[in-house]
Amino acid sequence: MSELQQIVALWRAAKARQEEVCLATVVRVEGSSYRKPGARMLLTQGGLRTGTISGGCLEAEVAKKAWWLTENGPTIQRYSSFFDDDSPVPYGLGCGGTVHVLLERGRAAHAVLDALDQSLHGRIQFVIVTDTDKTGTLLVRRADGETTFSSGAALLEIDNLALRATSERYSFYSKLRISNDLTSQLFVEYFAPCPALTIFGAGDDAKPLADFATRLGWYVTIADGRSHLVSATRFPQADRLIILNYDDTSPFAKLPVDAEDAFVLLTHSYEQDRAILQELLSRKPKYLGVLGPRQRTERLVGEIASRTGLSSDDCMARLHAPVGFDIGAHMPESIALSIVAEIVAVLNGRDGTSLKKQSREHIHSKLNYV
């Protein structure tokens, strides 16, 4: 179960018991830190907690003080891991950064948690706008424009920021002028729905891939023409099972294709891969991986390129073939790991380079990217 799934599950259970909760959210980071803005931890009044806002050094401290710190409303707490601070032992064992954590309860916290729930189970996009200096959550809005929470503060300016985040599908910081001599820094968080992975092929090598994706909290679809393999018994973790009929004139009619989704071909069938690639290439999904040698994929592309309206080079440029990172994988589990790692990198706009090989400045700029 992913961290987000654990947070939502604990919130649902606490809500069913009518038990109060406190939500801790990293809203700003200066320097280095283990978790980035948007990381969350949920506390229940009964003493349960899930989620992380650090590498394990802040959670107990926050849990111990969160309830009395939020007695009079939301609060922003600052935790430093610099060795030259007053504290003899810095938080984070000297990582060299400062973390600003929002603690809040009540309507705002429940609105954020409800958004996480809808994003996880309904694959709905949200924008959450937070004042990182004092006030806390200002706005929670669905991408379709429905506002589920608003503090009412500077609504027009915040509306425009939310529209920008929705349009660009991107989180960012922005300054909001409250008065002539006072400004607040806002964290405008675009909360995307969980990634969706469709695996074509229900063979044994699809099982560890589906398992890895499920553990990450992804929405997993298994699609195959072999009905005896496409079953909940073989893939209990899958969210959707689709039996493809390649003899049908529209075998993919039941398969919605979103440009933000990831697709992996593990059919071990030349004919099926050809049909799938012909269907998907022109739709330009964010990730499209093909198992097998590159020359096999080049041959497939050569046969269908003209029917997709693309050149062979354009088709190959849109594919990850052979699929996965080169980590020396040979077993189904390690191959699945290499595939998932590549998908995560692509979805996050990364190239998968080892952090060890990057310059210190480059690492810090990427780690602080919001």
Side-chain angles (χ1 to χ4, degrees), residues 237-364:
Q237 70 278 70
D239 297 282
R240 181 171 54 183
L241 300 171
I242 297 177
I243 299 172
L244 298 172
N245 181 2
Y246 289 97
D247 295 328
D248 198 322
T249 54
S250 301
F252 305 101
K254 297 179 181 178
L255 182 70
V257 178
D258 189 291
E260 296 298 310
D261 292 349
F263 299 84
V264 175
L265 278 61
L266 302 179
T267 70
H268 301 277
S269 165
Y270 189 88
E271 292 75 16
Q272 290 179 32
D273 281 358
R274 181 171 55 199
I276 296 166
L277 287 176
Q278 183 174 324
E279 176 70 21
L280 294 183
L281 273 169
S282 60
R283 303 201 191 189
K284 298 176 65 174
K286 197 144 192 179
Y287 182 94
L288 180 52
V290 185
L291 184 72
R294 182 178 177 86
Q295 54 267 35
R296 174 184 181 272
T297 305
E298 289 175 338
R299 181 182 172 188
L300 279 167
V301 164
E303 294 178 10
I304 63 172
S306 61
R307 283 172 263 171
T308 65
L310 302 167
S311 69
S312 294
D313 288 342
D314 286 340
C315 287
M316 290 302 298
R318 296 183 183 188
L319 296 176
H320 294 270
V323 67
F325 281 154
D326 180 8
I327 60 172
H330 297 290
M331 300 295 290
E333 293 78 9
S334 57
I335 292 171
L337 175 62
S338 77
I339 295 171
V340 166
E342 185 178 47
I343 295 173
V344 170
V346 171
L347 295 183
N348 288 325
R350 302 292 196 262
D351 57 13
T353 303
S354 170
L355 292 175
K356 181 178 179 179
K357 295 181 180 179
Q358 298 180 12
S359 68
R360 182 177 181 181
E361 293 76 13
H362 187 53
I363 291 173
H364 280 237

Side-chain angles (χ1 to χ4, degrees), residues 5 46 154 189 213 332 361:
Q5 289 170 325
E189 180 185 9
E361 293 76 13

